[in-house]
Amino acid sequence: MKYIFVSGGVISGIGKGIATASIALLLKAAGFKVAPLKMDPYLNVDAGTMNPLAHGETFVLDDGRETDQDLGHYERFLAESLNSTNIATQGSIYLSVIQKERNLEYDGDYVDIHNVTQEIISRIQAAGRDRNADIVLVEIGGTAGEYQNMLFLEANRLMKLKKHEDVIHVHVTYLPVPQFLGEMKSKPAQMSVRDLNSVGIQPDILLARSTVAIDAPRIKRLSFNTGIEAEDIIPAPDVTNVYKVPLNFEDAHLTDRILEKLHLKRKQKDLKKWRDFVAKAEMAERGVKIGIVGKYFSSGAGVLSDSYISVIEALKHAAFTQGLKPEINWIDSGRYNDGQHVEELKEYQGIIVPGGFGSRDVEGKIAAIKFCRENRIPYLGLCYGMQLATVEFARSVLGLSGAHTTEVDPKTKFPVIHIMPDQEKKLLKKDYGGTMRLGAWDCLIKAGTLARKLYNRPHTSERHRHRYEFNNRYLKNFAKKGFLVAGTSPDKKLVEMIELKDHPFFIGTQFHPELKSRPLQPHPLFMGFVKAASRVTKK
């Protein structure tokens, strides 16, 4: 088994996840079985309790593991579903070591940091075995020079020492082009390589991230100062479409350089469908304007889209496949809390209310949903977006004044969305970690519904991340007014999908369909939503 470690330098958010996913795609296209693994330096056991504004989206796998958003990149590029062996936080590693010590699995020996690095190596090898991989790709979270990821780098050093010809290191670094100079500067990249050198690692390949492709003089200077061969310094310029990144790498001979260093021969070259998808995306001219109404966008003076990155990518997959160019705007739901400004939603051809938790800005989301329902604007509600659509319908159509989800109002007279009984005791104890309905659950799709038409099959499996459910006590009241249950759990006890009978497109899901969308396999609900939105005349 071969191993590729991927690290980042100079700045955070440099694109290690996209780089790792791209390399994984290229190696798969070359005929190899690949196992990607994200090593996160956080002491959190998983990503489930992290604020999306600080850490980005929590991506949920089929087996229910709450992970870093980079797992989403891996799945989208590889078109494969991953599992818990493909993610390891430092917290989960320490927890495993401590549990082994408590269980006397170290035979009474003292336990130190060496045991932690051995656990890291064990996780890396297990990821490869689980997928019967030829190559394991290990993305090291954090930035070179930080102390938080030192143990991951030490594991890399030890594996290189023992398996010299089977381990390589790819370093993603950044070359800024200061506006006041107008010249690309290589010194920060040189220093990040030296940070790696200081812990015993010499990168084999350098991915040179910048606003523009690195030029020959800078490559020569970097090579001289880092000891990396010029042909192993690969341009990685900014792109408007991340799905172009693997093609840029392939054209720069990255696959060939990796295979040569790992002493492997290419078995095939299968990138035609990917090239066709990217070409179609680049040719798309007709825009479709979509608004995403959420609360995890604002961070100081900045606007962050990573909180909903899977939703955004799913929209791109659906739009590009239909020859459309998605024009996605992020709308802070707090703007509509008092019912003002909601008329501006007429500018959009479709609206999405994505997942979320808590009471902040809920009334703004409800106001947006009501406007979409009354003005026949295509609407897709994801998880919380479905639950709040239920609340809005109960209030406005069924006349249940004060109807709410018990997540926001535990004393509401009309709890149309309520807590799952088996979770109530845990919440009372403030035991929030891992208490949700998580992972893949089967869903029966009702015949005669729009959802059934879009899926074109009677059942599906979708990923969940929520605690609250539709209250079946109100089911008949909703059905009488055209609020249809389009999908249920196999035992028909849990509502999974809803839709409105007399509306161009109004669907809500308890699950997160965006997590299963792939560039070459867009999710059917997003396909239907984008198609309906494209029919709406732009204002």
Side-chain angles (χ1 to χ4, degrees):
M1 200 177 294
K2 308 288 186 176
Y3 303 89
I4 303 172
F5 287 84
V6 181
S7 64
V10 183
I11 60 173
S12 60
I14 198 171
K16 296 189 306 296
I18 294 294
T20 305
S22 296
I23 294 170
L25 169 64
L26 293 175
L27 293 173
K28 180 180 179 179
F32 297 94
K33 293 181 181 178
V34 180
L37 169 60
K38 176 66 184 287
M39 288 256 164
D40 245 330
Y42 301 103
L43 288 180
N44 304 64
V45 174
D46 58 41
T49 55
M50 295 184 191
N51 188 321
L53 281 176
H55 187 65
E57 170 190 79
T58 297
F59 190 85
V60 180
L61 306 179
D62 278 344
D63 63 10
R65 184 70 182 270
E66 296 172 285
T67 75
D68 178 273
Q69 65 180 17
D70 284 328
L71 272 288
H73 296 316
Y74 304 164
E75 286 203 348
R76 285 188 285 272
F77 279 61
L78 281 173
E80 296 177 13
S81 293
L82 304 177
N83 60 40
S84 294
T85 64
N86 302 106
I87 180 75
T89 67
Q90 197 155 212
S92 70
I93 291 165
Y94 272 101
L95 181 63
S96 179
V97 169
I98 291 169
Q99 286 174 335
K100 288 179 180 178
E101 183 273 327
R102 295 286 84 190
N103 295 336
L104 299 179
E105 293 181 41
Y106 294 110
D107 298 324
D109 200 358
Y110 71 91
V111 179
D112 64 8
I113 292 300
H114 174 70
N115 297 99
V116 179
T117 55
Q118 290 304 310
E119 179 67 21
I120 293 169
I121 293 171
S122 175
R123 297 287 184 97
I124 293 169
Q125 293 169 336
R129 288 195 303 271
D130 182 73
R131 303 189 78 78
N132 192 26
D134 301 306
I135 305 168
V136 182
L137 269 161
V138 184
E139 180 189 348
I140 298 174
T143 307
E146 296 177 338
Y147 63 86
Q148 290 95 331
N149 59 15
M150 289 291 289
L151 295 181
F152 297 144
L153 293 171
E154 174 64 3
N156 179 177
R157 186 188 71 83
L158 292 173
M159 290 186 71
K160 181 72 171 179
L161 191 64
K162 292 183 179 180
K163 300 174 178 288
H164 183 73
E165 294 193 344
D166 297 331
V167 178
I168 67 170
H169 190 105
V170 176
H171 188 52
V172 187
T173 191
Y174 185 67
L175 292 92
V177 184
Q179 190 173 3
F180 61 88
L181 288 176
E183 177 190 7
M184 182 180 290
K185 307 303 289 184
S186 65
K187 187 64 71 176
Q190 296 173 35
M191 299 310 295
S192 70
V193 172
R194 290 188 186 182
D195 282 331
L196 288 176
N197 293 160
S198 70
V199 295
I201 294 171
Q202 169 64 12
D204 297 276
I205 293 173
L206 201 67
L207 301 183
R209 287 282 292 111
S210 192
T211 52
V212 295
I214 186 172
D215 56 15
R218 243 62 54 168
I219 289 177
K220 184 177 180 181
R221 187 176 303 162
L222 262 181
S223 177
F224 178 80
N225 285 288
T226 63
I228 300 171
E229 295 288 342
E231 61 188 349
D232 293 325
I233 298 175
I234 307 295
D238 288 351
V239 293
T240 55
N241 179 4
V242 296
Y243 301 112
K244 192 174 180 180
V245 172
L247 300 181
N248 287 348
F249 285 165
E250 176 70 9
D251 294 342
H253 307 293
L254 175 60
T255 314
D256 295 331
R257 299 305 303 148
I258 288 173
L259 294 179
E260 182 178 324
K261 291 178 184 298
L262 291 176
H263 311 286
L264 297 171
K265 291 185 178 181
R266 187 191 291 269
K267 301 176 183 179
Q268 63 183 38
K269 193 170 185 178
D270 184 18
L271 283 169
K272 184 181 184 306
K273 290 182 179 179
W274 195 271
R275 287 189 184 277
D276 290 346
F277 170 77
V278 171
K280 197 166 188 177
E282 291 185 335
M283 288 189 295
E285 294 182 356
R286 183 186 168 204
V288 56
K289 191 173 183 181
I290 306 296
I292 302 178
V293 181
K295 68 175 183 177
Y296 296 124
F297 289 131
S298 303
S299 178
V303 176
L304 304 176
S305 62
D306 276 5
S307 302
Y308 304 112
I309 192 164
S310 288
V311 176
I312 293 165
E313 295 308 309
L315 282 170
K316 290 179 182 178
H317 305 160
F320 292 154
T321 300
Q322 298 179 63
L324 298 167
K325 184 178 180 180
E327 300 169 2
I328 302 170
N329 286 11
W330 301 283
I331 305 167
D332 191 329
S333 52
R335 181 171 172 78
Y336 305 138
N337 279 340
D338 57 3
Q340 301 295 313
H341 312 297
V342 74
E343 289 277 339
E344 69 189 21
L345 293 180
K346 280 186 177 179
E347 299 174 10
Y348 296 91
Q349 294 169 275
I351 294 292
I352 292 177
V353 172
F357 299 92
S359 59
R360 181 166 66 86
D361 298 340
V362 158
E363 292 303 323
K365 293 180 181 179
I366 291 173
I369 293 166
K370 181 178 182 180
F371 191 84
C372 290
R373 181 180 58 80
E374 293 180 339
N375 290 274
R376 299 175 64 78
I377 298 173
Y379 173 77
L380 181 59
L382 308 173
C383 196
Y384 212 19
M386 181 214 118
Q387 295 172 9
L388 295 182
T390 302
V391 170
E392 189 281 319
F393 196 90
R395 292 179 183 179
S396 303
V397 180
L398 301 185
L400 304 179
S401 179
H404 223 312
T405 165
T406 55
E407 178 177 3
V408 177
D409 182 4
K411 298 181 180 179
T412 177
K413 187 178 178 182
F414 304 108
V416 291
I417 301 291
H418 66 164
I419 189 69
M420 292 189 291
D422 59 333
Q423 302 298 353
E424 198 162 6
K425 292 180 182 178
K426 291 183 180 180
L427 291 180
L428 288 172
K429 295 177 184 177
K430 295 188 176 180
D431 179 14
Y432 298 111
T435 61
M436 294 180 280
R437 184 150 74 102
L438 289 165
W441 289 65
D442 290 337
C443 171
L444 299 181
I445 310 170
K446 188 176 180 180
T449 61
L450 175 58
R452 178 67 169 268
K453 181 180 178 182
L454 294 173
Y455 275 99
N456 194 30
R457 59 180 185 268
H459 55 79
T460 186
S461 174
E462 299 283 1
R463 296 177 185 176
H464 293 248
R465 186 175 183 252
H466 63 90
R467 294 186 181 93
Y468 294 81
E469 302 284 353
F470 186 98
N471 191 338
N472 291 336
R473 199 172 95 201
Y474 297 92
L475 207 53
K476 291 181 179 179
N477 298 33
F478 278 88
K480 288 177 183 176
K481 294 293 185 177
F483 187 99
L484 306 177
V485 173
T488 67
S489 57
D491 61 8
K492 299 186 179 180
K493 291 182 179 179
L494 299 174
V495 172
E496 295 281 25
M497 271 191 288
I498 61 92
E499 63 181 61
L500 293 188
K501 190 174 182 180
D502 299 315
H503 195 284
F505 189 102
F506 194 107
I507 290 179
T509 66
Q510 274 285 56
F511 49 81
H512 290 270
E514 68 273 18
L515 302 181
K516 299 289 278 283
S517 184
R518 310 286 183 255
L520 305 184
Q521 300 163 354
H523 195 283
L525 292 181
F526 278 88
M527 287 288 284
F529 171 72
V530 168
K531 187 173 183 179
S534 70
R535 295 192 186 113
V536 176
T537 304
K538 278 189 177 182
K539 296 288 189 284

